[in-house]
């Protein structure tokens, strides 16, 4: 089977590689950002505003127009507008919009025709999105092409509303779907009926002219659809198209007459700009959506009613001129639709949309800008004021334009996983820097001189325009290359690899078939059977259907038809064999029901459907008269489903965990029924939901499902199965897997779920039974080796039918986003992604894959042993995989052929996404959900609300971590077979390493990753270590044999042992290095109301750690020492995994600090000294060195120097607490070993010695709340300190108590030895409680005091690293403990009669642990005296002269010149 498994992996890898490569070439992706431009943002730009007295009246630019009229003619081809003389051949549809040509010819200075170039895809929704956002929509943006989700990224309509512009819209209702809350008044008309040429247009005409006479609007939008619909139905060369164009010409005549009549000075439309435009073009056949010239070329006509301005210089725009039929000269300019949003924003004086990457078009901007005459001004300095005014305005606009685009590109690349490459960013960055350099050093200086010569200013302004235009063109080119162009090479490569993988897949099936002797014929030969030919025929027919958009739209019906065809074939065989006729009829009945269900589901896709709110699929037809039946039937179906599952599992004679799995499913079904009852209107139990919450039951169902999965995993990993019972085991596992998944899928699907589940079970049973219809026992044993591919094909088609039966279809508006929020009120990516995936693919992919073994279990009942069953199962899975792979290949071929089809984005591409299972709707299609969440995020981030996730995580993680701290010494002694000192030193070395590695976690979270991601990374590492530890503790073969040496583990066993504890140490240490600072970051220390909570946070953090430790050292330690080490480690693994999941769930609530640079490794000068003056030199540039070109590796900033000073000042405090943690190490090693020799019984209960540390933990759990609520308020009254006592005073109390604890520990050991040696009596284990309790109180004071001290005193950018110093003290203490043990043994061995040290040997009654405790007590007293000196010397950061803001300012000053850097150093160093 090993080779077979490798073949499976190779095929999966090939399929995956093919899909990924093809996807990279086909699916164009772009991440929407939730950022919005604001008026005051422009203050951050380097742009210069002339005439500063007017700055308060402008936003981003000086407004050039007051009102804007936009008339959109959908699918307006360029040759509809331009004169026929501009084309080689005259067509019937040309020259119908005569008014536009007349105005362009007679008013050349105020009217202009533009050829507007759109970017593909050229469908209306995407073009409207591109026009209003100034960006380039891609596939992920356009997946809902015909379902129009609201635009949530910044856009023109948002800026209109935000800046007080009143907008009126009429026509295509796509506008109201895209912008549902942006119009003062809207008159939308349905746009889906392409056969209706007049409804939308007549609605526009009805409202357009009356509103032109009114003054209660600033922007008017009228969107006509007649031309688009006429093209789709009749084509461009049709009478209906010509009629529409003539109608539009009449409409424009009326509009222009109204505007002109009120354009006189003081008139309503004195400063109004009229734009007549198309959103895209169309082919002669009326299609659009692709990127051909006919589709991307459309028209724009602009008409200004100001005094006619003259043309701008040729270098500012591109135009082509020619004569029309009347021999009049007409010039046509060019504009990219990408430039529309930026140009309109500049004309109206509002901020550019945040994601706009277009350029302000100079010709359109000049047309709307008024009376700026360039050609008359060139070389004529008398007109210099007018020239300067317009040129300065345009250059300033381009400066702001470029700054905005650069800002967007930078933020996009930092925020998106689909950003630009480093090389691309460097290229456009250099171009922008060059333009900015010219602006800052040349153009800006010229503008500052009011009397600058005309000859010098004009060339400077023109060069500046060229620089900015080059930058903007480069960005547009880069964006188009990433977002709008198919990569045919990648698409072809992916398709080729997919075809090769199909061949390999086929050959693999043939090899496995021959290896196990299976045949497709009943005779057992290698011939080709009817079933094989028929299955291939059905598969090919379905694959070929994907080449037609009509068949894709009806895919569910096609699958039902093909499934029914296979059913009739089986019915024929049933009649011929005279058996299983009932099963055949039942199967055909189910297919018929599915067919009507799919038909009813398709009717929901109509926009006018009002059934969406009731039930998601075929339950929709139930009327109110049958509402009671509709409420009861799903519950009855659940009961029937539970009975069927119970019967199925009972036939398999389940043992052990399988019974509990089925019980869990039964409980879930009951909960689901209760959930529906509570939500039912008939029972009126809504009052119950107010108390328990509507999310409680779904979440409980999910939790039961996760628990069931864990039971299945444990059963698979640790419980051996009899190989002779392969068929029964396979059947049991299949039923169990259905049970595990079904409850979650059912509650997500709603009340249709039980019915779909019943259809799934009954249909699967019929397919399984009908698989035997061709078998004939008289043929001997050959039938047992027959494998018919028809049932596998039926299973695949049945899964497709169930996908459509559940109310889904292959489009993004076919996703039931509401299901993702079953049990949740807010959007959190991971759980919502899982739930939406399960809802979408539950009955069409997940359960069918787990149900395939049913097809094998029935056939395998007569097969003895595991190998034949596994061989058949492998072959069936490979055939099923080939069917799916063939379908995907056909889809890939389909979208390749139709990549420029009108429906490629609305139909073919979504079909591809659903077939390959990419779930793009979560990562990208749900960006609108993410955007809304991001906009709300700041309001709910931080505080204790966010820390609840952290407290839960630390509680769960410490259940295992602390249990291992106190019990591993026993594991090392009795399983790995170390001696007493070896197990003690190994334990302390392990713990020392774990806490030392907190520095790694702290450094990474400060310098490279944010604290949340660091926690998740090290959490996964810890889980991996637990897995290795479980494996070694479970299998005796991986454990060393006992020996007489100090250590018995060697070779591979040693490698596995040290790898496991190293990974756990690395993971646990990394978590503890990042998580305290992450929690403290949730409080803003600059806000007094939040600042005071930081101390409370550390108290509650310690409480969560302590409570988790209590559970660990009692329950987990008991399980480990009494039940099995492997079970104890499994519990630790599960708790750590649950904690990691919970802390990830809190992501939307966290204030996550962006990782920055830490000092480590950046400054080579810092290695050499401690003194302040020496450190100051690290920030002083050597003479003759240019600050701008100096590497950051050769000189440090002032802030970095001050950060190191702060850290070095804290070091004596850190070093003074190390000895206390050395004492703590004895409580987790020597004291636990003492406990083994003491009376561990409480009545009849035997207490594990390793649980003794629960005593200080219980004391801490009780005292922490008392300290927080009683001790602190009481002391605050006397000291006036917000925390009662200072951090250092709190640490000092702990040091005193630790010395007392060690003293008592020595006396307890004296009593233990005396009673045991002289009276042969074991004293109670709880004598250890005295020094344990005292040390617990000491730890409460010291650990919290240290963490808060390091967090508050550390620089902002180094708080994770600094907080980890608290754990570093623990680490050094554990290492010092190991060193003390070895040192004491080596010294005292010279003075004892046995020549053994105080702690040597395996007999503790002959050792002198009491002496060792008193030795530590004496050292602790001396250490306290040392601590008092350093604590009195230390000055808190609040008393330091220079604060962080001053340091930042000093850095900015120091970056200019070496002299200012030196001055800054001398300034900040005076303390």
């Amino acid at each position: 089977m090993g080779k077979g498994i490798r073949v499976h992996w190779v095929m999966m890898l090939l399929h995956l590689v093919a899909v990924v490569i093809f996807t990279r070439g086909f699916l164009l992706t772009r991440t929407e950002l939730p950022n919005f431009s604001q008026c005051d943002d422009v203050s951050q730009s380097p742009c210069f505003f002339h005439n500063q007295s007017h700055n308060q009246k402008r936003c981003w630019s000086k407004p050039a127009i007051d009102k804007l009229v936009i008339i959109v003619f959908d699918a307006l081809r360029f040759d509809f507008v331009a004169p026929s003389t501009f084309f080689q051949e005259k067509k019937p549809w040309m020259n119908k919009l005569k008014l536009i040509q007349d105005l362009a010819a007679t008013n050349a200075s105020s009217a202009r025709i533009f050829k507007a170039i759109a970017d593909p895809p050229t469908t209306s929704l995407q073009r409207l999105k591109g026009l209003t956002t100034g960006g380039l929509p891609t596939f992920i943006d356009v997946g809902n092409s015909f379902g129009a989700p609201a635009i949530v990224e910044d856009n023109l309509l948002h800026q209109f509303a935000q800046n007080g512009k009143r907008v009126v819209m009429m026509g295509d209702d796509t506008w109201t779907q895209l912008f549902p809350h942006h119009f003062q008044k809207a008159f939308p008309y349905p746009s889906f009926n392409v056969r209706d040429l007049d409804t939308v247009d007549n609605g526009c005409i009805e409202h357009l002219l009356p509103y032109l006479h009114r003054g209660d609007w600033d922007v008017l939008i009228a969107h006509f659809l007649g031309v688009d619909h006429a093209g789709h139905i009749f084509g461009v060369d049709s009478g209906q198209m010509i009629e529409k164009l003539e109608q539009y010409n009449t409409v424009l005549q009326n509009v222009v007459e109204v505007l002109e009549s009120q354009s006189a000075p003081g008139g309503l439309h004195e400063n109004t700009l009229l734009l007549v435009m198309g959103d895209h073009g169309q082919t002669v056949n009326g299609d659009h959506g692709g990127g051909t010239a006919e589709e991307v070329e459309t028209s724009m006509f602009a008409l200004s009613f100001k005094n006619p301005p003259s043309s701008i210089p040729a270098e500012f725009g591109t135009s082509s001129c020619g004569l029309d039929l009347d021999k009049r000269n007409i010039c046509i300019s060019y504009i990219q639709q990408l430039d529309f949003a930026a140009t309109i924003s500049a004309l109206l004086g509002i901020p550019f949309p945040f994601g706009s990457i277009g350029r302000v078009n100079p010709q359109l901007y000049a047309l709307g800008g008024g009376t700026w005459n360039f050609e008359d001004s060139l070389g004529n300095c008398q007109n210099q004021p007018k020239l300067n005014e317009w040129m300065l305005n345009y250059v300033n606009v381009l400066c702001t334009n470029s700054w905005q685009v650069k800002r967007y590109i930078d933020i996009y690349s930092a925020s998106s996983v689909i950003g630009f490459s480093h090389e691309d960013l460097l290229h456009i960055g250099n171009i922008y820097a060059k333009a900015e350099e010219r602006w800052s050093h040349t153009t800006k200086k010229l503008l500052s001189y009011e009397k600058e010569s005309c000859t010098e200013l004009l060339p400077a302004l023109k060069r500046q325009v060229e620089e900015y235009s080059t930058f903007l063109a480069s960005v547009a080119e880069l964006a188009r290359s990433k977002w709008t162009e198919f990569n045919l090479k990648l698409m072809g490569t992916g398709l080729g690899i997919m075809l090769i993988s199909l061949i390999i897949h086929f050959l693999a099936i043939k090899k496995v078939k021959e290896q196990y002797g299976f045949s497709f014929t009943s005779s057992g030969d290698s011939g080709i059977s009817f079933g094989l030919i028929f299955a291939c025929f059905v598969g090919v027919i379905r694959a070929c259907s994907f080449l037609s958009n009509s068949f894709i739209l009806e895919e569910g019906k096609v699958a039902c038809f093909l499934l029914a065809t296979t059913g009739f074939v089986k019915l024929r065989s049933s009649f011929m064999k005279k058996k299983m006729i009932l099963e055949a009829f039942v199967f055909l009945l189910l297919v018929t029901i599915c067919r009507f269900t799919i038909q009813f589901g398709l009717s929901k896709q109509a926009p006018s459907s009002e059934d969406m709110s009731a039930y998601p699929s075929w339950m929709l037809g139930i009327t109110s008269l049958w509402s009671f039946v509709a409420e009861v039937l799903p519950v009855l179906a659940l009961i029937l489903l539970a009975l069927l599952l119970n019967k199925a599992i009972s036939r398999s004679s389940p043992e052990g965990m399988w019974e509990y799995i089925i019980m869990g499913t039964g409980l879930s079904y009951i909960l689901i029924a209760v959930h529906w009852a509570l939500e039912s209107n008939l029972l009126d139990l809504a009052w119950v939901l107010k108390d328990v919450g509507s999310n409680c039951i779904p979440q409980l169902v999910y939790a039961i499902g996760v628990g069931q999965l864990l039971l299945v995993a444990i059963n698979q990993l640790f419980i051996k199965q009899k190989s002779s019972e392969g068929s029964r085991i396979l059947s049991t596992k299949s039923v169990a897997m259905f049970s595990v998944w079904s409850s979650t899928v059912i509650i997500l699907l709603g009340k249709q779920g039980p019915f779909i589940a019943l259809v799934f079970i009954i249909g699967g049973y019929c397919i399984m039974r009908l698989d035997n219809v061709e078998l004939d026992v008289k043929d001997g044993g050959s039938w047992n080796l027959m494998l018919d591919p028809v049932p596998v094909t039926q299973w695949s088609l049945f899964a497709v039918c169930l996908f459509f039966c559940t109310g889904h279809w292959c489009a993004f508006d076919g996703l039931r986003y509401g299901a993702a929020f079953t049990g949740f009120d807010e959007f959190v990516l991971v759980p919502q992604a899982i739930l939406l995936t399960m809802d979408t693919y539950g009955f069409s992919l997940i359960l069918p894959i787990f149900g395939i073994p049913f097809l094998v279990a029935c056939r395998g009942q007569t097969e003895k042993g595991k190998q034949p069953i596994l061989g058949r199962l492998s072959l069936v899975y490979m055939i099923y995989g080939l069917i799916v792979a063939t379908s995907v290949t056909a889809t890939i071929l389909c979208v390749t052929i139709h990549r420029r089809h009108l429906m490629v984005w609305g139909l073919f591409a979504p079909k591809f996404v659903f077939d390959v299972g990419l779930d793009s709707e979560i990562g990208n299609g749900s960006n609108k959900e993410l955007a809304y969440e991001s906009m709300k995020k700041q309001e709910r981030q931080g505080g204790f609300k966010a820390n609840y996730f952290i407290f839960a995580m630390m509680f769960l993680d410490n259940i295992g971590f602390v249990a291992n701290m106190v019990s591993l010494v026993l594991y090392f002694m009795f399983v790995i077979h170390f001696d007493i000192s070896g197990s003690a030193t190994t334990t302390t070395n392990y713990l020392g390493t774990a806490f030392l590695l907190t520095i790694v976690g702290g450094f990474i979270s400060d310098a490279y990753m944010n604290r949340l991601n660091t926690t998740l990374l090290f959490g996964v590492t810890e889980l991996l270590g637990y897995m290795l530890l479980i494996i070694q503790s479970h299998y005796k073969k991986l454990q060393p044999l006992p020996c007489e040496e100090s250590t018995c583990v060697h070779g591979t066993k040693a490698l596995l042992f040290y790898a496991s504890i190293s990974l756990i140490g690395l993971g646990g240490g990394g978590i503890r290095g990042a998580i305290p600072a992450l929690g403290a970051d949730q409080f803003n220390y600059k806000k007094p109301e939040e600042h005071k909570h930081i101390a409370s946070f550390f108290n509650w953090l310690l409480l969560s750690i302590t409570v988790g430790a209590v559970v660990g050292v009692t329950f987990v330690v008991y399980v480990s020492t009494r039940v099995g080490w492997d079970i104890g480690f499994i519990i630790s693994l599960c708790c750590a995994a649950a904690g990691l999941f919970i802390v990830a769930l809190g992501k939307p609530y966290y204030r996550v600090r962006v990782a920055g640079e830490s000092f480590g490794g950046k400054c080579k000068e810092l290695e050499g000294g401690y003194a302040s003056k020496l450190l100051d030199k690290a920030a002083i540039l050597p003479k003759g060195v240019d600050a701008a070109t100096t590497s950051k590796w050769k000189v440090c900033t002032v802030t970095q120097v001050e950060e190191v000073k702060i850290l070095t000042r804290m070091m004596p405090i850190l070093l003074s607490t190390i000895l206390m943690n050395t004492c703590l190490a004895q409580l987790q090693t020597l004291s636990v070993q003492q406990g083994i020799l003491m009376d561990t019984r409480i009545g009849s209960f035997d207490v594990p010695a390793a649980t003794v540390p629960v005593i200080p933990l219980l004391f801490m759990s009780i005292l922490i709340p008392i300290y927080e609520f009683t001790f602190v308020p009481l002391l605050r009254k006397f000291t006036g300190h917000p925390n009662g006592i200072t951090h250092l005073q709190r640490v000092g109390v702990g040091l005193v108590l630790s010395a007392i604890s060690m003293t008592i520990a020595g006396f307890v050991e004296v009593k233990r030895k005396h009673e045991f040696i002289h009276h042969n009596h074991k004293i109670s284990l709880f004598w250890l409680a005295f020094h344990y309790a005292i040390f617990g109180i000491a730890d409460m004071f010291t650990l919290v005091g240290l963490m808060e001290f390091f967090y508050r005193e550390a620089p902002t950018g180094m708080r994770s690293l600094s907080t980890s110093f608290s754990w570093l003290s623990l680490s050094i203490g554990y290492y010092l403990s190991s060193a003390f043990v070895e040192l004491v043994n080596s010294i005292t061995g010279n003075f004892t009669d046995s020549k053994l040290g105080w702690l040597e040997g395996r007999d503790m009654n002959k050792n002198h642990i009491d002496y060792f405790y008193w030795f530590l007590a004496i050292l602790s007293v001396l250490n306290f005296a040392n601590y008092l000196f350093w604590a009195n010397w230390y000055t808190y950061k609040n008393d330091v002269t220079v604060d962080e803001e001053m340091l930042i300012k000093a850095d900015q000053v120091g970056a200019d010149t070496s002299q200012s850097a030196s001055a800054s150093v001398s300034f900040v160093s005076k303390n």
Side-chain angles (χ1 to χ4, degrees), residues 3-134:
K3 293 183 178 179
I5 293 175
R6 285 198 294 271
V7 170
H8 283 293
W9 282 107
V10 170
M11 290 187 299
M12 288 179 61
L13 181 62
L14 279 175
H15 293 328
L16 180 63
V17 169
V19 168
V20 169
I21 292 176
F22 184 86
T23 301
R24 287 179 63 86
F26 175 67
L27 290 188
L28 313 171
T29 54
R30 179 177 68 92
T31 302
E32 295 179 350
L33 301 182
N35 306 66
F36 292 84
S37 297
Q38 305 291 336
C39 267
D40 54 4
D41 289 351
V42 77
S43 61
Q44 305 169 16
S45 75
C47 304
F48 173 84
F49 287 97
H50 186 60
N51 194 358
Q52 298 295 326
S53 62
H54 295 289
N55 279 354
Q56 66 274 17
K57 299 180 181 180
R58 67 172 65 186
C59 187
W60 280 28
S61 61
K62 180 182 178 181
I65 59 175
D66 296 330
K67 292 182 180 294
L68 176 65
V69 179
I70 302 176
I71 297 178
V72 181
F73 293 148
D74 206 292
L76 185 70
R77 285 169 58 103
F78 175 60
D79 56 6
F80 287 169
V81 175
S84 59
T85 53
F86 279 67
F87 303 94
Q88 294 182 352
E89 184 179 356
K90 182 180 178 181
K91 299 293 184 180
W93 58 80
M94 295 180 179
N95 302 321
K96 300 304 177 186
L97 297 176
K98 288 288 294 181
L99 176 71
I100 292 179
Q101 297 178 12
D102 292 341
L103 291 172
T106 58
N107 301 295
S109 58
S110 60
R112 175 76 59 156
I113 297 175
F114 292 85
K115 176 188 279 190
I117 309 299
D119 290 290
T122 48
T123 50
S124 294
L125 184 146
Q126 291 74 57
R127 284 296 83 230
L128 292 183
K129 185 170 185 177
L131 285 166
T132 56
T133 62

Side-chain angles (χ1 to χ4, degrees), residues 462-532:
K462 289 182 179 180
R463 285 194 298 270
Q464 190 66 59
V465 170
E466 291 172 0
E467 296 280 359
Y468 282 136
S469 298
T470 301
F471 165 72
L472 293 169
S474 299
V475 172
E477 181 182 0
L478 174 63
R480 288 191 177 98
S481 67
K482 299 296 182 184
W483 293 336
T484 63
E485 293 182 6
F486 294 112
N487 191 323
L488 295 181
K489 291 183 179 179
L490 288 179
M491 292 172 66
T493 302
L495 178 59
I497 295 176
M498 198 69 191
L499 293 173
I500 293 173
S501 71
L502 289 183
I503 298 173
I504 296 176
H505 203 141
F506 175 78
L507 295 176
I509 291 175
K510 182 178 179 182
K511 182 177 180 181
V512 173
K513 181 176 74 72
E514 294 173 351
Q515 179 181 352
Y516 290 97
F518 291 111
S519 172
F520 293 129
T521 63
S522 58
S523 60
D525 56 29
S526 59
I528 299 176
S529 66
F530 168 77
L532 178 61

Side-chain angles (χ1 to χ4, degrees), residues 25 567 884 1033 1200 1265:
V884 175
S1033 62
Q1200 289 171 332

Side-chain angles (χ1 to χ4, degrees), residues 675 679 694-695 698-699 702 747-748 816-829 831-833 835-836 839 922 926 929-930 933:
H675 178 66
E679 292 187 336
S694 60
N695 296 331
Q699 291 178 358
Y702 303 152
I747 198 171
L748 292 175
R816 298 174 355 100
Y817 289 102
F821 292 88
T822 303
F824 296 89
D825 290 327
E826 296 180 345
F827 183 86
V828 183
L829 180 61
Q832 266 60 68
L835 293 180
L836 186 56
D839 174 76
I922 291 295
S926 291
E929 303 289 348
L930 294 173
E933 289 298 312

Side-chain angles (χ1 to χ4, degrees), residues 281-340:
Q282 58 178 304
T283 65
V284 176
N285 295 325
D287 295 328
H288 56 89
T292 64
E294 290 180 309
E295 296 167 276
V296 300
E297 291 179 0
T298 182
S299 298
M300 180 186 295
F301 171 73
L303 176 63
S304 174
F305 294 94
K306 293 182 180 180
N307 294 328
S310 297
S311 301
I312 65 174
E315 56 263 38
F316 286 134
T318 55
S319 300
S320 60
C321 300
L323 300 179
D324 64 0
L325 292 177
D326 297 325
K327 305 302 180 182
R328 297 173 300 184
N329 186 58
I330 294 180
C331 292
I332 295 179
S333 301
Y334 297 86
I335 186 173
Q336 298 286 335
Q337 282 194 351
L338 188 66
D339 302 338
F340 179 80

